[in-house]
Amino acid sequence: MRIFRSIDEITEQLPGAVATIGNFDGVHLGHREIFRRVKRDAGLLGGTSVVITFIPHPVKALDLQRDMRLINTYAEKELLIEASGIDCLVTIPFTPGFAAIGAEAFVREILVGRIGIRKLIIGSDYAFGRRREGDVNLLRKLGERFGFEVEVLEQISGDGIVYSSTAVRRMVAEGDVRGVVRLIGRHFSIGGTVVHGLHRGKDLGFPTANISTEKELIPRPGVYAVKVKIGDVFYDGACNIGNNPTFGNERESIEVFILDFDRDIYGEEIRVYFIDRVRDECRFAGIEALKEAIARDVASCRALLADVSIIEYREYLGGVMA
């Protein structure tokens, strides 16, 4: 996939460009269906499939006083869009200057002038441009004027579920990591670097990998059955998210006990895939009670993970996007 990190990098129009525009946070099943149609129609034209998105997310850039946590890091989003088989990704820096561009100027100068749009596929609630003045009706009028087709998709759903980034955020924040697979089509994961913690796990007989991550959206505090990817190998694990109330830590941490594993991985990048929630985080009367609870957690995780296969972004689109 070719990535343009600014409009200025597009020095010639993309042949037969079929595009979609949006933030695509989470790259959920609804987004994937849009990408599938973009790829299909570009193929029919012998053209180029294009996804146009923004960095940072407009909510972050405009400081709208909303506590919205992104589902994916920008690096994850790029990988997920690439896994969808898209030819070109255009990531437009969302600056105050860009936010001030009117809808018609955006279409004329960027979609038509730079990209050479032939067809635009959008959702029914899509709006763009200064003060979101560009709606579906305006796009269709501009499409007629500049010679590109506009296709509007209604809300995309499956099995009675409407796919939305808001729903994904809610489910992950509530700890429903098993249920969210139905919306994103893969296991929710967190990538990060293994860093030194307080080393209490080792003293308890359950040494943990403490993870430093750029991920904004973290599951609700508690214990989770997880799969841990180190290099190309998967391991079963038990993950605790929270502030360890038995010890009264002030900062929330993400700690993973990797089952049947004994190697120093400080400084290494790992990825944790969340399979199911085991329990809430609890305060225990003492160290022995905590050790007994951890042992039960590990046994529960081992049983939950026995027959689980991870759905990764490289795999879940293999047959769908062909």
Side-chain angles (χ1 to χ4, degrees):
M1 180 177 72
R2 188 176 181 185
I3 301 178
F4 298 97
R5 301 196 185 278
S6 76
I7 294 300
D8 292 337
E9 291 184 8
I10 305 175
T11 56
E12 57 183 10
Q13 293 184 343
L14 305 176
V18 178
T20 187
I21 310 174
N23 295 305
F24 305 117
D25 185 33
V27 190
H28 54 62
L29 292 176
H31 297 147
R32 283 169 48 189
E33 175 60 17
I34 294 172
F35 299 160
R36 186 188 70 80
R37 297 195 191 194
V38 167
K39 184 179 177 184
R40 179 199 64 191
D41 289 1
L44 293 173
L45 288 174
T48 308
S49 57
V50 184
V51 170
I52 304 167
T53 192
F54 310 98
I55 295 180
H57 192 291
V59 168
K60 304 285 187 179
L62 297 175
D63 190 22
L64 298 179
Q65 304 299 314
R66 286 174 55 189
D67 182 22
M68 187 193 75
R69 300 188 179 186
L70 295 181
I71 300 164
N72 294 126
T73 65
Y74 293 116
E76 287 173 342
K77 184 165 75 169
E78 288 183 359
L79 288 172
L80 290 163
I81 293 172
E82 182 175 22
S84 302
I86 293 298
D87 296 319
C88 293
L89 173 62
V90 180
T91 58
I92 299 176
F94 198 91
T95 62
F98 177 79
I101 296 174
E104 183 172 338
F106 175 78
V107 171
R108 182 181 64 251
E109 297 170 13
I110 296 175
L111 293 187
V112 177
R114 287 280 187 169
I115 294 173
I117 191 82
R118 291 280 303 280
K119 182 173 183 178
L120 183 64
I121 300 176
I122 56 171
S124 58
D125 59 349
Y126 181 72
F128 68 103
R130 182 181 53 231
R131 296 187 294 273
R132 294 175 62 83
E133 63 191 13
D135 58 11
V136 169
N137 291 330
L138 179 60
L139 269 177
R140 284 182 166 145
K141 291 177 182 177
L142 294 174
E144 291 176 1
R145 184 192 308 176
F146 294 112
F148 63 88
E149 182 184 352
V150 176
E151 180 179 354
V152 180
L153 303 182
E154 296 303 319
Q155 276 194 323
I156 300 171
S157 61
D159 297 326
I161 303 170
V162 175
Y163 304 127
S164 76
S165 298
T166 299
V168 173
R169 289 189 194 95
R170 183 184 68 251
M171 293 178 76
V172 173
E174 291 174 351
D176 189 5
V177 294
R178 181 173 61 179
V180 80
V181 175
R182 294 179 297 161
L183 275 70
I184 61 177
R186 63 186 184 275
H187 288 104
F188 181 79
S189 69
I190 291 176
T193 306
V194 179
V195 298
H196 287 278
L198 298 174
H199 301 283
R200 287 179 178 142
K202 185 176 182 180
D203 295 338
L204 294 170
F206 300 93
T208 58
N210 288 259
I211 302 171
S212 174
T213 182
E214 295 181 0
K215 196 89 159 186
E216 293 185 4
L217 184 65
I218 306 298
R220 173 184 167 188
V223 177
Y224 295 85
V226 300
K227 292 276 190 175
V228 184
K229 188 176 184 181
I230 306 174
D232 293 324
V233 181
F234 283 98
Y235 300 88
D236 292 348
C239 177
N240 184 81
I241 296 176
N243 59 6
N244 294 294
T246 302
F247 296 103
N249 293 354
E250 293 183 1
R251 296 181 60 183
E252 185 172 278
S253 62
I254 304 171
E255 303 176 67
V256 184
F257 173 63
I258 307 172
L259 280 60
D260 308 316
F261 184 85
D262 184 18
R263 182 165 69 80
D264 184 345
I265 54 173
Y266 287 115
E268 292 190 29
E269 296 291 319
I270 69 173
R271 182 161 290 274
V272 178
Y273 294 84
F274 289 81
I275 308 303
D276 208 348
R277 183 177 174 86
V278 176
R279 64 170 173 84
D280 288 337
E281 194 176 39
C282 303
R283 182 188 297 275
F284 294 95
I287 299 300
E288 290 305 314
L290 174 60
K291 289 171 67 174
E292 291 174 3
I294 295 174
R296 291 193 298 270
D297 293 339
V298 169
S300 296
C301 290
R302 193 183 292 277
L304 283 167
L305 297 167
D307 299 314
V308 171
S309 296
I310 290 299
I311 307 172
E312 287 190 280
Y313 69 87
R314 289 188 180 89
E315 300 168 354
Y316 71 74
L317 289 172
V320 176
M321 303 302 299

